[in-house]
Amino acid sequence: MGEMNTDTTDTADPPFLVALNLTRRCNLNCAHCYLDADSRNSDASGELSTAEVCGLLDDIAALSDETMVVFTGGEPLLRGDLVELVGHATGLGLMAVLGSNGLGLNDRRAADLKAAGLQGVGISLDSLDPGAHDEFRGLPGSWAKAMAAFDTCRRTDLRFQIHFSVTDDNAHELEDMITFAKDVGAFVVNVFFLVCTGRGEKVTNISAQTYEQVMRRLTAAARNETEIMIRAKCAPHFKRMAWQLDPDWPITAAHGYEAGGCLAGSRYCRVTPTGGVTACPYIEDEAGSIRQQSFAQIWRDAPQFQALRAPKLTGRCGACEFSKLCGGCRARPLARDGDLMGEDFLCAYEPQGEATIEPLDTSADTLHWTPEAEAWLERIPSFVRRFVRQRAEAEVRSNHGDAVTGEIMAELAASAKQRMGGNIPNRPASTETDPPSKEAGQ
C-alpha cells in the first residue's frame, strides 16, 4: 500500500475540546472502561488538586475561551469540588459539560451544577434492556438509576445527552435508542465506538462488518433526523460515509468537532487524573504532564501532537481517497500494532485509487458577514461561537452563497430551538435587528 503525506504548517490552533479525567474512582465496574477505573473507595492520592485543576483551566482559557471542557472520570460526581471546578471554568468563559453515569446526580447536585454554569451532562446508557445495561456496567440497578438521572435533568431543566457505546451485542438497538432519546427529552445522542484499551482490552469489541452496517445506519439517521442531534464518536469513517451519502452535505466539507474525523492531538486532548496529557483517552502514551510543563507548551510542542497534525499515514489509510476527510482512528493501530500511523483495521473500505478528496479550504475564505449576522454571533456565548460560525458558513457554502446574513442566523437559531426543546428564541426579543439572547446555540 502507498503512503500519504498530509504535510501542513503546524499552527497549533487551540483545542476545540479538552477532556479532564478528574478521578479514577468510580461507582461502577464497566467492562469497557478505557481508564480501567478503580472502585469508589480507592485511594484518591495523586489526583490533581482543586488548585491544580483551576490552574489548568486558566491555561486552557488563555489559549481560547471557545474551548469546551468535559469533566469526566472515572465518575466525576465523586469529586467533592466539582461544583467549584465548573464555576471556575464558567467564569473563564469556557463551556463546561459533564460526562457521567448519572448514579450520583440528584436534584440538589444538578441544581448546584447548573447554577455554577454547567451547560449539559452526558449520561451513559448502553441498552434499553435493564439487565443488559446492568451487566455491561457491572452493577445491578444501574439502569434504573440512569433513568432517575434523566428525570432529575428534566426537573432541574439541565440539558442532557445520551452516550451509547455500541458493540455487537447492542448494535441492533441503535434506532430504538434514538427514538428513546427523543422521547425522554435528550438533545443529543452520542454513539461511541470502543477502542480496545484499559479494561476494554477484555471486551469483545464490534466486528468490522457490524461496524460498517451500524455506521451506515448512523450516518443516515444523522442526515435525516430533525428533532435531535446524532453524532459518531471515535468513528472518523463517519466523514467517508457522509460523503458517500451526500457530497453536498455541509458536514462533509468542514472541519470541526461535530464534523467527524479524528480530532486526537489536533483539536482535542485529554488530561489524566494525575496531570498527564494524551492525544485522546484511547492513546495512553503521555505527551507531557501539567505538573512539569504548561498545558500550552504541551499542546503546542509535543512531538506526537505535531505528528498527528501532519499525519504520514500508511497502509490502506495512506492510499485512501478519504484520507484527509477521515484519516482513520489513530488509537486502534497504536494499541494493536504500536504504529500510530498504521491503517485503521476496523475500517472495511478498500481505496479505489482515486484522487484524494480535499476538505473545504477556509484559509482564503471570502464569505462576508453582514452587520446583522455579526450581531447575532456576538451575543452567542464564546464557547459555542466557533461551532455556530462554522455551521453558518457551511450552510452558506452549501447553497453557493457569499454572505452570512441575519436571516440565516435566525434560521439556525430556529433549528437549534427545535432540537433543544424550545429554549432558544427564533428572533431577537426586543427588535427585529437585535441579536438573540445568550441561550442561542448552546
Side-chain angles (χ1 to χ4, degrees):
M1 295 291 179
E3 177 176 303
M4 188 274 292
N5 186 342
T6 59
D7 273 336
T8 59
T9 301
D10 180 20
T11 57
D13 289 336
F16 288 0
L17 176 67
V18 178
L20 303 187
N21 290 139
L22 293 177
T23 181
R24 295 182 66 92
R25 291 171 290 147
C26 190
N27 42 18
L28 290 180
N29 188 33
C30 301
H32 65 293
C33 181
Y34 65 79
L35 200 61
D36 200 8
D38 300 322
S39 70
R40 178 173 186 156
N41 297 322
S42 295
D43 186 1
S45 63
E47 291 180 359
L48 295 175
S49 67
T50 302
E52 286 177 310
V53 176
C54 287
L56 169 62
L57 294 169
D58 292 342
D59 289 346
I60 294 171
L63 290 175
S64 173
D65 63 0
E66 294 186 350
T67 299
M68 180 187 299
V69 175
V70 182
F71 293 103
T72 183
E75 175 46 55
L77 288 170
L78 295 179
R79 287 275 302 222
D81 58 356
L82 182 59
V83 171
E84 180 180 351
L85 298 177
V86 169
H88 191 78
T90 301
L92 295 168
L94 300 169
M95 181 178 189
V97 297
L98 184 67
S100 172
N101 58 42
L103 268 65
L105 192 65
N106 55 36
D107 285 11
R108 179 191 58 79
R109 200 81 188 275
D112 288 347
L113 287 166
K114 184 179 179 183
L118 190 72
Q119 295 298 310
V121 56
I123 299 173
S124 299
L125 184 68
D126 299 304
S127 178
L128 299 178
D129 176 352
H133 175 87
D134 289 357
E135 180 179 1
F136 195 59
R137 291 282 158 181
L139 181 69
S142 58
W143 187 90
K145 291 182 178 180
M147 296 301 111
F150 298 145
D151 293 338
T152 293
C153 289
R154 287 196 300 270
R155 282 194 301 270
T156 57
D157 196 27
L158 178 63
R159 291 185 184 131
F160 67 96
Q161 55 193 30
I162 288 178
H163 292 175
F164 176 51
S165 295
V166 65
T167 68
D168 278 337
D169 294 329
N170 65 3
H172 64 281
E173 295 192 60
L174 175 63
E175 287 79 11
D176 288 342
M177 186 64 72
I178 293 171
T179 299
F180 172 82
K182 291 190 290 186
D183 291 343
V184 81
F187 73 98
V188 175
V189 176
N190 282 330
V191 181
F192 287 82
F193 292 84
L194 303 179
V195 179
C196 291
T197 58
R199 198 180 297 144
E201 290 178 333
K202 306 175 184 69
V203 176
T204 300
N205 203 344
I206 192 169
S207 66
Q209 180 181 10
T210 303
Y211 181 91
E212 188 83 4
Q213 293 172 349
V214 172
M215 282 297 299
R216 291 203 179 280
R217 289 156 52 199
L218 176 62
T219 306
R223 179 71 177 88
N224 299 325
E225 184 58 58
T226 59
E227 298 178 42
I228 193 169
M229 292 177 65
I230 301 171
R231 301 188 294 205
K233 298 295 182 179
C234 300
H237 320 94
F238 174 82
K239 272 222 172 174
R240 164 176 59 87
M241 295 188 180
W243 180 278
Q244 291 170 326
L245 181 65
D246 180 4
D248 294 326
W249 186 7
I251 205 169
T252 67
H255 282 302
Y257 174 56
E258 294 180 4
C262 182
L263 309 178
S266 60
R267 297 180 293 281
Y268 168 62
C269 69
R270 70 98 178 229
V271 181
T272 72
T274 55
V277 182
T278 74
C280 86
Y282 297 116
I283 293 179
E284 298 175 330
D285 298 336
E286 293 186 1
S289 170
I290 66 163
R291 285 174 165 165
Q292 299 172 356
Q293 300 169 274
S294 71
F295 175 82
Q297 183 180 4
I298 297 169
W299 175 256
R300 182 185 63 246
D301 298 336
Q304 185 187 78
F305 289 11
Q306 292 182 341
L308 288 166
R309 292 166 193 156
K312 298 178 181 179
L313 305 178
T314 62
R316 285 182 299 130
C317 286
C320 185
E321 60 268 28
F322 293 99
S323 57
K324 290 187 178 180
L325 287 181
C326 166
C329 173
R330 298 297 93 222
R332 288 194 186 99
L334 180 64
R336 191 186 74 170
D337 307 320
D339 184 2
L340 184 67
M341 296 297 161
E343 69 177 50
D344 185 345
F345 53 85
L346 196 56
C347 177
Y349 182 75
E350 290 293 337
Q352 302 299 301
E354 299 178 1
T356 301
I357 299 170
E358 296 289 337
L360 183 67
D361 182 11
T362 59
S363 61
D365 192 19
T366 58
L367 288 184
H368 169 67
W369 281 71
T370 68
E372 293 79 13
E374 290 279 10
W376 277 80
L377 191 64
E378 182 63 28
R379 290 289 297 277
I380 292 171
S382 61
F383 48 72
V384 290
R385 198 171 293 149
R386 176 186 294 168
F387 308 122
V388 173
R389 184 187 303 116
Q390 289 177 338
R391 178 162 292 181
E393 292 183 351
E395 183 72 19
V396 171
R397 290 189 184 97
S398 69
N399 293 314
H400 307 290
D402 58 7
V404 180
T405 65
E407 290 78 8
I408 290 171
M409 296 297 290
E411 291 172 3
L412 291 176
S415 175
K417 176 181 178 180
Q418 182 181 27
R419 287 197 310 269
M420 298 181 182
N423 293 325
I424 300 172
N426 279 327
R427 63 179 66 239
S430 55
T431 71
E432 291 293 321
T433 57
D434 289 337
S437 75
K438 279 203 170 185
E439 291 179 344
Q442 294 180 9

